[in-house]
């Protein structure tokens, strides 16, 4: 629960290129609405995530694979919030 205290979420998403063969789609929902969707991310790429989330109460992170054994990595995930 963020209760509207945070302004921004950032991360770097990807998979483990040493062991994974499939793709992963990363998605972020804020208060029930999708605010970020990577589409399929290949094993040899990463994506930088920067999402503004003012007034958001609930933030949910999703990672869906393509039925291949794949590790979803949310690296360096950070919330910027009021103190």
């Amino acid at each position: 629960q963020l209760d509207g205290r945070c302004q921004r979420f950032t991360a770097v998403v990807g998979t483990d290129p040493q062991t994974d063969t499939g793709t992963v789609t990363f998605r972020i929902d804020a208060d029930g609405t999708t605010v970020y969707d990577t589409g399929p991310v290949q094993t040899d790429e990463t994506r930088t995530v920067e999402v503004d989330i003012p007034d958001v109460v609930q933030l949910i992170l999703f990672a869906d694979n393509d039925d291949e054994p794949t590790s979803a990595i949310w690296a360096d995930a950070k919330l910027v919030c009021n103190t």
Side-chain angles (χ1 to χ4, degrees):
Q1 290 293 95
L2 302 177
D3 296 325
R5 296 180 313 240
C6 299
Q7 294 76 44
R8 192 165 185 77
F9 173 80
T10 62
V12 177
V13 297
T15 63
D16 184 345
Q18 300 292 319
T19 60
D20 294 339
T21 58
T23 62
V24 175
T25 297
F26 295 86
R27 190 178 89 230
I28 300 172
D29 285 6
D31 294 334
T33 300
T34 299
V35 295
Y36 185 84
D37 188 326
T38 61
V41 175
Q42 304 296 322
T43 56
D44 60 346
E45 67 178 312
T46 60
R47 304 269 177 92
T48 299
V49 178
E50 296 181 0
V51 179
D52 291 326
I53 53 168
D55 304 318
V56 168
V57 174
Q58 185 178 50
L59 194 69
I60 302 176
L61 310 179
F62 295 93
D64 298 313
N65 67 10
D66 63 357
D67 296 327
E68 294 289 326
T70 309
S71 304
I73 300 170
W74 293 86
D76 201 25
K78 296 177 184 167
L79 285 167
V80 176
C81 303
N82 295 333
T83 53

